[in-house]
Amino acid sequence: MKKILIGVLLTASFLSYSQGKSIDQKVEELLQKMTLEEKIGQLNQYTGDNTVTGPLTINPNKQQEIKEGKIGSMLNVIGAKYTRQYQELAMQSRLKIPLLFGLDVIHGHKTTFPIPLAEAASWDLSAMELSARVAATEAAASGIHWTFAPMVDVSRDPRWGRVMEGAGEDTYLGSRIAFARVKGFQGTKLGDLNSVMACAKHFVAYGAAVGGRDYNSVDMSDRMLWETYLPPFKASVDAGVATFMNSFNDLNGIPATANRYIQRDILKGKWNFQGFVVSDWGSIGEMIAHGYCKDSKEAAEKAILAGSDMDMESNAYRFNLAQLVAENKVPVSVIDEAVKRILRKKFELGLFDDPFRYCNPERQNKALNNPENAKIAREVAAKSIVLLKNEQKVLPLSKEIKTIAFIGPMVKPKRINHGFWAVDLKDVDSTYIVSQWEGLQNKIGKKTKLLYARGCGVEDMSKAGFEEAMQVANQADVVVVSIGERWNMSGEAKSRSNLSIPGVQEDLVKELQKTGKPVVVLINAGRPLIFNWTADNMPTILYTWWLGSEAGNAIADVLFGDYNPSGKLPMSFPREEGQIPIYYNHFNTGRPSINEDKVYKSAYIDLPNSPKFPFGYGLSYSHFTYSDLKLSKKKIKSNETIEVTLNITNTGSFAGEEVVQLYLRDQVGSVVRPIIELKDFQKIKLAKGETKTISFTIDNEKLSFYNSALEFASEPGSFDLMIGSSSADIRLSDTFELIP
């Protein structure tokens, strides 16, 4: 009762000037009451002491500074209990402006979903929106107002560890997924108790870091920037995203943190973005190491003038903005604009009405223990698995199998299934995570015996465990071997130059093949890996990524056919690192290599140009035939549309889902156009023997591109229409013409 009374008294001071007024009016009124030091405090974000996700700045005066209104936001404060403690400190400040609490809720809070790249492989937008909805519900109940997700960077380089956070290599797919995830996190509206602010990151082009090396430079043309890397961010704005985070990289020589062109001209200007921009961890101060600023003061000046509203963990604003204002280097109006953007979100979240509305331990306990969340995580995880090979129809496994040998370093551990960027919750153990071993145990009947051998460690060079693995395998009717990279080999600062499966794991697979038993290979990873021997010699392969807290159950569902795999690759898988960057929608050259002709052609003399597994690829236990392609028109003007219809038939023995992919090619353009571009897709479910007619609409937007003047427009000419099961498996095609 005492805490409730304190809360009422603390917030009462706002009611006298807030009732009946719009949020903008409330913001303006509050701004007039603030000193310059209090304004700068709103632009300052510190980390808590729970979890550190960057180089920590030690600040023994943190609590006192909160009381003095010198901190506007905190990250890595986890749980209703702990956020309340910090919020109570903020309520001791002069104006009692509440804190914002942010956290990297990247693919789940307590309930962990597949890493975002794996979810992208589902091509199921509603599933991705739902997983973000569940994550938001759990996070908001734990005192969190703001997630630093989704990452919407396009990346064509699997060496970059952060590919695991995004949606892969394609702009169109990435834009659709960005929109869905923002909607999932933010729900119906900000301020609902099951909603958190989303944050589109990293603005911009971080996924094109040179050499796939994290934090590295990016150099590209403006046309590539607009056509390939900006659209997912624009989709996030269209979805109503509350915040943006700028990126660590420099873009064409200007660090993104101080890049006025992308933040003021594009984001806040052309796109009219009304939210606020937060720096990445310490990125304002890091401009000194970039060689772009001589000291923290200059870094603060350049960042605030460029449009970076909030300083995460570098203290550049905290210690320099007041002096910069006094020296007339930064106008107070620039400070005011940034503060208003932040205060507006605090009002929208309802924090001025009740600073503790998200700090409810009872609601937290209920949300974190909702059994429905595990069911959703299991379904989303199953949808994210990609069947790469099933040549001998070993899958799905029969539930009448007498003995299964489950072998490999990934079989029994639990934590690994979370993958990178899992939230480290205090007072929550890992027993709720379903290991791969437990998943199979839960699935098999009493008549089936499940045997185990580790075989080797992830990075071990020792083969001492091979003998036991072979003995176990020889006792079984079928062998399932689970291999891959360590869970923390992908993620931030986890770039790899060698993408092979680590250690002697692939040698273990070679040994198991010698048993003559049917062998199913599970590959666990946060990125596309290179596993040529396995890909060429093993007939049954599932790419299981890192699937989250229900990984074991989801894998078992797919192995035994309770879920028919439907995942499609969101990134091209290279044959060798020498092909990287590799992506499906590249330009042609004046000397294209056709049918592997390499004589004075654009080709490698020692390797095909094509990927090992192409973008959009993924098999099913069933088979789908495409037929009866029809176009409503063969010639259209820019204000007209074409309706495309076709039939899809499930000719296999199982009900299943197929991702029908529509691609276009502009045959001739004023600038060179890609050889193929994804422009639409549908995921449909078909019963055995069922036929469905599906339709797509081709409009002028699908035919438009950024020309040399950076105008987004279409050009008259002929277009190839291609519909298929992947970018390299086109089943139906036609042509049409855009006329003046």
Side-chain angles (χ1 to χ4, degrees), residues 22 30 124 146 249 280 305 307 452 513 515 518 535 540 546 549 661 663 673 716:
S22 69
L30 178 55
D124 192 320
W146 180 19
N249 59 280
D280 210 334
L305 292 176
Y452 166 73
Q513 187 208 37
T515 64
T540 313
W546 294 117
S549 48
Q661 302 162 43
Y663 296 90
R673 303 300 303 133

Side-chain angles (χ1 to χ4, degrees), residues 619-652:
L619 303 176
S620 167
Y621 296 152
S622 200
H623 182 73
F624 303 95
T625 60
Y626 291 53
S627 63
D628 300 318
L629 176 65
K630 296 177 182 176
L631 279 63
S632 62
K633 301 174 183 176
K634 296 297 290 286
K635 294 184 178 182
I636 59 168
K637 296 181 178 180
S638 61
N639 62 346
E640 298 176 328
T641 62
I642 296 177
E643 296 301 315
V644 179
T645 60
L646 67 149
N647 291 337
I648 308 293
T649 303
N650 183 346
T651 55

Side-chain angles (χ1 to χ4, degrees), residues 133-155:
R133 186 91 294 279
V134 171
T137 300
E138 291 187 355
S142 302
I144 301 303
H145 311 133
W146 180 19
T147 174
F148 303 120
M151 190 194 90
V152 302
D153 296 308
V154 172
S155 182

Side-chain angles (χ1 to χ4, degrees), residues 472-488:
V472 168
N474 280 316
Q475 299 175 53
D477 299 307
V478 65
V479 178
V480 180
V481 57
S482 188
I483 61 174
E485 65 176 0
R486 254 193 355 259
W487 68 269
N488 56 356

Side-chain angles (χ1 to χ4, degrees), residues 43 116 145 167 250 257 260 288 308 347 353 492 579 655 685 708 730:
L43 313 185
H145 311 133
D250 66 273
T257 309
R260 177 186 289 268
I288 302 168
S308 293
F347 274 109
D353 297 322
E492 184 176 352
Q579 290 181 301
K685 188 171 185 178
S708 58
I730 301 302

